[in-house]
Amino acid sequence: MGTALVYHEDMTATRLLWDDPECEIERPERLTAALDRLRKCGLEQRCLRLSAREASEEELGLVHSPEYVSLVRETQVLGKEELQALSGQFDAIYFHPSTFHCARLAVGAALQLLDAVLTGEVQNGLALVRPPGHHSQRAAASGFCVFNNVAIAAAHAKQKHGLHRILIVDWDVHHGQGTQYLFEDDPSVLYFSWHRYEHGRFWPFLRESDADAVGRGQGLGFTVNLPWNQVGMGNADYVAAFLHLLLPLAFEFDPELVLVSAGFDSAIGDPEGQMQATPECFAHLTQLLQVLAGGRVCAVLEGGYHLESLAESVCMTVQTLLGDPAPPLSGPMVPCQSALESIQSVCAAQAPHWKSLQLQDVTPVQTSPSTHSSEGRPPPLLPGGPVCKTAASALSSLFDQPCLHPAPPVCPAVALTAPDITLVLPPDVTQQEGSALNEETEAWAKPHESLAQDEALTALGKLLYLLDGMLDGQVSSGIVATPPSAAAATLDVAIQRGLSHGAQRLLCVALGQLDRPPDLVHDGRILWLNIRGKEAAALSMFQVSTPLPVLTGGFLSCILGLVLPLAYGFQPELVLVALGPAHGLQGPHAALLTSMLRGPAGGRVLALLEEDSTPQLAGILARVLHGEAPPSLGPYSVASPEDTQALRYLRGQLEPQWKMLQCRPHLEA
Ligand code: Q9C
Ligand code: ZN
């Protein structure tokens, strides 16, 4: 449905007119650098360009006092000395004669973006603005912020569009205390902010930036602060915070709209943040938010002071809003202890207010779940035993090997649009299956009785064709339908073919009655995850089975708490999602799983479904693989005790090897 990019060149006018080392980083080049890079990457051209308008004073009045608006209006006619004197009355602020005009354009840009998304003109978008907004309060400028762009957008969404649940995600590295104050007693706005905090020793030095500030009155639990107490937080820390904290809350909240206070001073190289997350991380954060609110995501620029890092991160965000798959994340996917401590303290502070967080265990769990022991006690993982040691070292050496084909270039807008989804479904037999391929197909099919039928053979041919396309980097994702009786054998051939093609890491998510192929290799190249009935078991760190959760809450904690942490830790080159016989998944659930698995796999997801699946299911999967948002799951229902227990058990078993599963610090640390 499209992505809006809202901008106005007048917003480059405001600038610092005197010496002030604290404020000099907020400069016009921030906008021009971001825009230039978007153009160079061909991303700007793919967006619906909207020219920002000025917000009206009535709109400013949605969150600011009339006296404060007058004060800012009057700065237009002040001289340099007067501007400097007035600026000194606020914390980290400079005024310029153009400030009022620019700040109204910044608010107007956010409102235009919001209106375009809420009227259905576009699916999502980014407003590139100066000055930023999230430190601005009802009657005060602060931290380069004059009017609170995102807060006004949220108030407008409530008032003019009648929305009841708005999620604000503030990934800027500073605490948006202005936004927090404006909504702290309002349960219709869930405000999430992570920020450099260092136990209160970082600007703006507020007690209320800590994890125990959770809102007040009706708004208890609707303010979520994640303080980073060390610098150097990286990709694994940010992704872990989303998987284990933000997303469970967000699904429970079930927002109608996501507003992002998109500051990129939380990216590597930024002098303010001193963090380590790479620009690609913002593609993943964006993608993770796109599964909410039917994909209605409005991002509004806040901070970001390292021009290169800012520009690159902006490109990653826009590229993802456009639906392109996120590039793989670099670096070890292991959250640091300090990050886990922070996440844990937020979980503790918020647990009284959120069912989705009550699932998370506060104490170490190593016991076998009684409800899932129908087939006997699951064999222990033997931490440190021969199997795991071999597996773990196999895994670490695999990461040193080069990828099957190189990761996409940094701004692969054009490269990524061409190899888009190839939808292959019966009866649409494609031309591309030449006779040579058919012979090859027959050879692959030979050992499998269930692949002898013509129908099964045809499906296999399509699968091999698609798989080769994906492994060669020509096709990003695909869908293949097989006769139900051939599902297991087809999946087996897919794995073998992937391996023989040189794949180093293949994630296989099998739902329903699909048995683990008998000759599955144990060298760490395959991570086999079976989601089906019966018991939770981890045969090794590469072979995991878990019951199919019965309720939405259980399904979400299975995806967010198990599947995605494993997938992000494994960093597969390719994901096979197989919906086998009796998989029991509803369309929206299957779509969510498939959509989210694009993240850790650079978009390379091959979905296998059964021929007699509904066309709706195939259609919905095709759309999410194409980059569209999955449909909303609707109201949250809490996970069953059995599902919670199964998840806890597997976490306990697998956490030592798969660090992305952790959401609490080590006891011995
Ligand atoms: N070195 C925004 O990112 N100065 N504002 C902090 C610590 C104020 C940041 C000084 C930073 C304000 C929108
Ligand atoms: Zn900031």
Side-chain angles (χ1 to χ4, degrees), residues 22 92 132 134-135 143-145 172 174 202-203 265 272 303 305:
E22 186 170 28
H134 69 153
H135 298 305
F144 319 148
C145 300
D172 186 281
H174 300 96
F202 189 70
W203 191 91
D265 41 15
E272 276 287 308
Y305 307 100

Side-chain angles (χ1 to χ4, degrees), residues 57-71:
E57 294 211 6
E58 192 190 329
E59 288 164 336
L60 301 179
L62 284 169
V63 313
H64 296 291
S65 71
E67 298 76 22
Y68 176 65
V69 173
S70 299
L71 180 140

Side-chain angles (χ1 to χ4, degrees), residues 128-206:
L128 275 182
V129 303
R130 283 178 70 236
H134 69 153
H135 298 305
S136 159
Q137 300 148 44
R138 180 170 156 79
S142 169
F144 319 148
C145 300
V146 178
F147 298 132
N148 197 318
N149 312 313
V150 165
I152 295 171
H156 175 88
K158 287 177 62 174
Q159 206 200 53
K160 290 280 154 43
H161 296 275
L163 295 201
H164 298 108
R165 292 180 313 280
I166 299 159
L167 170 65
I168 299 178
V169 177
D170 189 336
W171 73 42
D172 186 281
V173 85
H174 300 96
H175 181 216
Q177 87 279 31
T179 310
Q180 174 168 315
Y181 298 152
L182 288 166
F183 298 110
E184 61 191 349
D185 61 358
D186 184 348
S188 62
V189 177
L190 172 54
Y191 176 66
F192 171 90
S193 172
W194 65 33
H195 33 269
R196 180 171 168 189
Y197 187 59
E198 297 177 294
H199 302 285
R201 287 186 285 273
F202 189 70
W203 191 91
F205 315 106
L206 299 170

